[in-house]
C-alpha cells in the first residue's frame, strides 16, 4: 500500500513571498510539512486537497533543494565571479546534498553563470592590474580555486613577459626607495627575496633589478653602515677586545657591507654614545 500525503493548506511565507509553506495530513491531522519555491509549486501543481505519494513527495523536495541551491549560488555570484570549485565548496558549507549540488553546478554551467575559462582570464587581468604578484603566485591561486592547468596556462597569456618585468620593476623601485638604510648588497638581496615571494621568476627578477639603480654612493653606503654599526654595537657591547671586533665584523659583513668600510668604521669613534 502506497502512503499518501494530502495537502491541507498553502500559505505564503512572511519574509519571502517566493516561497510557500505547505501543510499536510498523513493520517494524524494537519501539520506543517515543508516549504517550496514558486517554480516548484507550479511545476508540481500543488494545491489544497492534492494527494501526493511518497515518490512524488521525494521528487518535489529534491527539485526544491536544487532550486534553493541555484538561488543561493546566484546570490553568491552576485558579488563577483566565482570558479566552479568555489561555488561547490560554498554549497557544501551550506549543507546541500551532493547530488543536488552537482545538479545546481550543471545548470549554472548551462546558463553560463559559471565559466572557469572566463573566470581565469578575468582573475589574471585583475591580479596583474591591481597587485604586484607574479606568475607563480597567480598560478597557485588559480590552482587552489580548482582551475585546470591547461586553462591556467591559456589565461596566463594575458600576463606577458614584458608586463611581468614592468610589474617587478615598479615593485623593486618602491622597495629600493624604502630601504635606503641598508647596504647596496642587502637591499638587492632583500628585494630579490620579496619579488620571489611575490611569485616572479628569477629571469624576471634579474631583468627588473637590472633596470633600477641599486648602487649607493660611498657617502650613502657609509651612512647606512654607521646606522647598522650602532645597532650592532648595542647588541655586542657586552663583549670586548678582539671578540667584540670579530662579532661586529661578522654581523656587518652579513649585512652586505664591504670589509674596507667596516674596518674604517670600527677604527673610528662611531658610536652614538
Amino acid at each position: 500500500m502506497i502512503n499518501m500525503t494530502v495537502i491541507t493548506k498553502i500559505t505564503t511565507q512572511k519574509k519571502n513571498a517566493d516561497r510557500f509553506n505547505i501543510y499536510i495530513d498523513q493520517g494524524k491531522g494537519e501539520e506543517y510539512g515543508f516549504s517550496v519555491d514558486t517554480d516548484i509549486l507550479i511545476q508540481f501543481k500543488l494545491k489544497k486537497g492534492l494527494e501526493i505519494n511518497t515518490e512524488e513527495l521525494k521528487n518535489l523536495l529534491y527539485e526544491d533543494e536544487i532550486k534553493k541551491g541555484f538561488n543561493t549560488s546566484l546570490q553568491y555570484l552576485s558579488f563577483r565571479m566565482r570558479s566552479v570549485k568555489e561555488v561547490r565548496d560554498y554549497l557544501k558549507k551550506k549543507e546541500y546534498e551532493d547530488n543536488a549540488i552537482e545538479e545546481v553546478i550543471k545548470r549554472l554551467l548551462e546558463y553560463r553563470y559559471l565559466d572557469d575559462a572566463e573566470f581565469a582570464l578575468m582573475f589574471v587581468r585583475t591580479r596583474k592590474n591591481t597587485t604586484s604578484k607574479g606568475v607563480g603566485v597567480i598560478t597557485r591561486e588559480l590552482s587552489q580555486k580548482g582551475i585546470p592547468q591547461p586553462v591556467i596556462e591559456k589565461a596566463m597569456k594575458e600576463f606577458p613577459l614584458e608586463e611581468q618585468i614592468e610589474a617587478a620593476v615598479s615593485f623593486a623601485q618602491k622597495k629600493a626607495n624604502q630601504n635606503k638604510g641598508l647596504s647596496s648588497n642587502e637591499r638587492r638581496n632583500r628585494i630579490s627575496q620579496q619579488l620571489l615571494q611575490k611569485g616572479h621568476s628569477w629571469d624576471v627578477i634579474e631583468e627588473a633589478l637590472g633596470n633600477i639603480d641599486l648602487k649607493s654612493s660611498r657617502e650613502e653606503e657609509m651612512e647606512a653602515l654607521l646606522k647598522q654599526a650602532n645597532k650592532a654595537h648595542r647588541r655586542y657591547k657586552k663583549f670586548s677586545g678582539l671578540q667584540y671586533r670579530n662579532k661586529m665584523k661578522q654581523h656587518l659583513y652579513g649585512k652586505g657591507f664591504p670589509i674596507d668600510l667596516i674596518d674604517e668604521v670600527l677604527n673610528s669613534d662611531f658610536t652614538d654614545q
Side-chain angles (χ1 to χ4, degrees):
M1 182 178 178
I2 300 176
N3 293 326
M4 300 299 292
T5 298
V6 180
I7 295 177
T8 59
K9 184 171 64 176
I10 301 176
T11 62
T12 305
Q13 290 189 352
K14 293 181 180 180
K15 294 184 179 181
N16 188 349
D18 292 324
R19 289 194 67 79
F20 296 83
N21 292 327
I22 310 298
Y23 292 83
I24 60 175
D25 185 352
Q26 294 180 312
K28 299 179 182 179
E30 184 179 86
E31 61 181 334
Y32 170 78
F34 50 89
S35 66
V36 295
D37 187 90
T38 302
D39 290 347
I40 304 303
L41 188 80
I42 295 171
Q43 179 183 343
F44 287 87
K45 300 177 182 179
L46 303 182
K47 62 182 179 179
K48 182 179 178 179
L50 180 69
E51 293 186 349
I52 309 172
N53 64 41
T54 303
E55 192 62 28
E56 290 171 333
L57 181 60
K58 180 181 177 181
N59 289 339
L60 78 85
L61 290 177
Y62 176 65
E63 285 298 324
D64 187 64
E65 176 87 349
I66 294 170
K67 182 64 179 179
K68 284 193 295 183
F70 189 84
N71 290 338
T72 298
S73 299
L74 291 184
Q75 185 178 18
Y76 185 53
L77 288 164
S78 68
F79 299 101
R80 66 168 176 81
M81 291 183 70
R82 313 277 182 177
S83 68
V84 170
K85 181 180 184 300
E86 284 181 304
V87 174
R88 182 181 284 114
D89 290 346
Y90 183 73
L91 291 175
K92 286 183 178 180
K93 185 178 178 181
K94 293 292 183 179
E95 298 184 346
Y96 284 92
E97 295 293 331
D98 289 345
N99 289 343
I101 289 174
E102 293 313 310
E103 184 60 34
V104 169
I105 295 295
K106 178 183 175 183
R107 295 184 187 185
L108 289 169
L109 288 168
E110 288 175 354
Y111 287 111
R112 296 297 300 270
Y113 286 116
L114 288 178
D115 185 333
D116 274 355
E118 183 65 20
F119 170 84
L121 201 65
M122 296 305 295
F123 188 90
V124 173
R125 287 176 183 170
T126 300
R127 283 291 188 268
K128 76 169 185 176
N129 290 329
T130 62
T131 74
S132 53
K133 293 178 180 178
V135 167
V137 167
I138 297 173
T139 296
R140 185 164 63 250
E141 289 177 335
L142 284 170
S143 181
Q144 289 169 348
K145 292 180 182 298
I147 308 301
Q149 190 59 35
V151 176
I152 293 175
E153 291 174 1
K154 186 175 181 180
M156 290 310 303
K157 292 178 181 179
E158 284 290 306
F159 199 7
L161 182 60
E162 316 86 74
E163 294 184 21
Q164 295 175 42
I165 294 171
E166 286 177 15
V169 167
S170 177
F171 177 83
Q173 187 63 66
K174 182 174 71 173
K175 291 301 178 182
N177 294 336
Q178 292 173 354
N179 293 308
K180 290 198 172 178
L182 305 175
S183 69
S184 298
N185 288 333
E186 187 176 14
R187 189 157 69 246
R188 182 184 181 87
N189 290 338
R190 183 171 295 189
I191 293 172
S192 294
Q193 287 302 312
Q194 290 171 329
L195 285 169
L196 192 63
Q197 290 168 0
K198 288 283 184 180
H200 293 282
S201 68
W202 279 114
D203 288 343
V204 168
I205 293 171
E206 287 300 318
E207 187 69 28
L209 294 180
N211 280 277
I212 64 173
D213 184 12
L214 289 172
K215 292 182 179 179
S216 303
S217 66
R218 192 178 190 284
E219 291 74 21
E220 290 172 331
E221 194 82 351
M222 181 62 79
E223 183 180 349
L225 175 53
L226 286 170
K227 181 180 178 181
Q228 295 297 326
N230 274 288
K231 285 184 179 179
H233 172 73
R234 289 192 288 273
R235 180 176 178 181
Y236 298 120
K237 62 183 179 181
K238 59 185 176 181
F239 300 101
S240 61
L242 186 59
Q243 188 178 21
Y244 167 80
R245 188 179 182 88
N246 286 341
K247 286 188 176 294
M248 289 289 290
K249 287 183 73 170
Q250 184 179 4
H251 178 84
L252 294 172
Y253 186 72
K255 291 291 184 179
F257 295 103
I259 286 294
D260 60 326
L261 283 186
I262 295 173
D263 284 333
E264 184 177 335
V265 166
L266 293 180
N267 290 334
S268 67
D269 184 17
F270 69 89
T271 63
D272 293 331
Q273 300 176 355

